[in-house]
Amino acid sequence: MTLLEIAQWLEKSPLGQSIRESDLLFPNIESLHVLAITFVVGSIAVIDLRLLDAASRSQPVSRLTAQILPFTWSAFAVAATTGGLLFVSHATSYIANVPFQFKMALLIAAAFNMLLFHLVTYRSVENWDADVATPPAARIAGALSLLLWMSIVGFGRWIGFV
Amino acid sequence: MGSVLQSMPAFINWLQQTPFSLTVATVIWIVPLVQTVHILGIALVMGSIVLFDLRLLNAGMRSLSLAAAGQRFLPWLWFALPLLLLSGLLLIIGEPERSLTNPLFYAKMIMVLTAALISWCLQRALRKRPAGGLVFRFFALVSLALWVAIVFAGRWIAYV
């Protein structure tokens, strides 16, 4: 099965059809998607700014991530689910949509940035947890994360304009 | 109010023909860019106000005192609101009919004003009652509900 065939199959599925044909489903799923993604971006920014030593400087990094990330992941699950539902409803147009392709590529980049941070940089967190001079690798991860998530929002909005 | 609404079509007509409005409407990258800035402004509101409200509800950010949570998060709300106002204004100028004739737009503005007022009052009230309490929790819930409704109204403006 090619990607196009999968997209056609998804679009023709009862789920894809009902979302596409309903006047209420698409805008409501889209609103929920925006709600979830704005919280994901806003709450990740709190952590990114701490990694950049720009805010929350009185909070140890590990405490901040422990308090915020569970909420962020819940919101991300909502954003991914609603995003998947929106995708199914117009799958063939989305796979051909250049801003959509960029958005997916940037999401993968954000995932790699996060994995690298957690699996490598964060392992030594006890050495710099309360420091206001975080290691360069942590700063780079924070700056990249901010840039990537802002671009993800930008490309996400752009999807509707092409 | 009635006469204000009656003169709205004339105002929209005039606004649409100003060079500034025409520029915003015809230069293809302006609207998507300004909408992106607007959504990033909402992300700032979400990151700050939801975490502050969760703290008031004792549901998150417990390592910060209520006052510390207010100091940490509310300045971002006061920064984001003017940014949202400015980017929103540009979008209205570019496409006045989309919002100014839309009842959802006015509902959204009333909810934004109410939500901002609630956060401002909570911030002030925390100085007198740093321990918070039931009233604070109630208004934290109202604030959360309002911001959810504001985002829905904002997206729905495009469909109504």
Side-chain angles (χ1 to χ4, degrees):
Chain A
M1 243 193 191
T2 63
L3 193 60
L4 181 65
E5 282 167 343
I6 297 172
Q8 283 166 341
W9 177 77
L10 285 171
E11 215 173 85
K12 278 186 205 141
S13 68
L15 184 68
Q17 267 183 349
S18 40
I19 296 169
R20 189 169 54 250
E21 283 161 14
S22 155
D23 289 338
L24 290 175
L25 279 175
F26 194 91
N28 279 326
I29 296 170
E30 201 185 15
S31 300
L32 206 53
H33 189 67
V34 174
L35 187 70
I37 206 163
T38 49
F39 181 75
V40 168
V41 176
S43 61
I44 284 183
V46 177
I47 294 166
D48 293 338
L49 289 172
R50 176 62 183 87
L51 292 178
L52 287 164
D53 292 331
S56 298
R57 301 175 75 182
S58 64
Q59 298 283 306
V61 174
S62 64
R63 194 199 279 163
L64 204 62
T65 52
Q67 289 190 108
I68 292 178
L69 285 184
F71 294 114
T72 310
W73 277 115
S74 315
F76 183 79
V78 176
T81 309
T82 50
L85 292 172
L86 296 174
F87 178 78
V88 167
S89 73
H90 295 85
T92 55
S93 358
Y94 284 129
I95 58 166
N97 184 302
V98 176
F100 176 82
Q101 294 164 353
F102 269 94
K103 183 182 176 183
M104 292 303 113
L106 290 170
L107 267 172
I108 294 168
F112 271 109
N113 180 49
M114 189 188 64
L115 270 176
L116 194 69
F117 174 72
H118 277 278
L119 298 179
V120 182
T121 315
Y122 195 76
R123 286 179 86 167
S124 63
V125 69
E126 60 265 29
N127 300 331
W128 48 272
D129 206 5
D131 289 3
V132 286
T134 43
R139 287 166 185 255
I140 293 169
L144 267 179
S145 166
L146 271 181
L147 272 175
L148 284 167
W149 283 106
M150 284 166 71
S151 319
I152 287 166
V153 169
F155 281 109
R157 189 63 289 241
W158 198 2
I159 290 171
F161 286 87
V162 289
Chain B
M1 189 67 191
S3 65
V4 172
L5 283 179
Q6 264 167 16
S7 58
M8 194 57 90
F11 174 70
I12 290 171
N13 246 331
W14 168 80
L15 189 58
Q16 266 170 343
Q17 274 152 35
T18 58
F20 190 49
S21 172
L22 287 169
T23 306
V24 176
T26 50
V27 179
I28 51 163
W29 52 266
I30 295 182
V31 171
L33 185 74
V34 177
Q35 284 192 359
T36 301
V37 171
H38 200 70
I39 298 177
L40 289 172
I42 296 168
L44 286 180
V45 173
M46 283 296 148
S48 52
I49 206 68
V50 173
L51 292 176
F52 177 60
D53 288 339
L54 286 172
R55 178 62 193 92
L56 287 174
L57 290 163
N58 224 2
M61 304 307 295
R62 289 202 199 90
S63 70
L64 295 171
S65 69
L66 294 183
Q71 278 161 9
R72 170 68 188 86
F73 294 121
L74 288 175
W76 287 96
L77 176 68
W78 308 132
F79 167 73
L81 283 175
L83 180 74
L84 287 166
L85 188 72
L86 196 70
S87 50
L89 210 57
L90 274 173
L91 294 171
I92 293 172
I93 291 170
E95 218 180 338
E97 225 170 343
R98 172 183 160 124
S99 38
L100 295 180
T101 58
N102 195 321
L104 259 182
F105 166 76
Y106 296 97
K108 181 183 171 187
M109 290 305 103
I110 291 167
M111 291 193 289
V112 170
L113 279 176
T114 314
L117 191 69
I118 287 175
S119 298
W120 186 76
C121 290
L122 286 176
Q123 189 178 18
R124 283 183 66 93
L126 271 179
R127 288 185 207 147
K128 284 187 184 165
R129 286 174 168 270
L134 198 62
V135 179
F136 288 81
R137 280 184 219 172
F138 172 74
F139 281 106
L141 275 179
V142 176
S143 159
L144 282 175
L146 279 171
W147 282 108
V148 171
I150 289 164
V151 170
F152 269 77
R155 193 72 287 255
W156 265 98
I157 286 174
Y159 292 93
V160 176

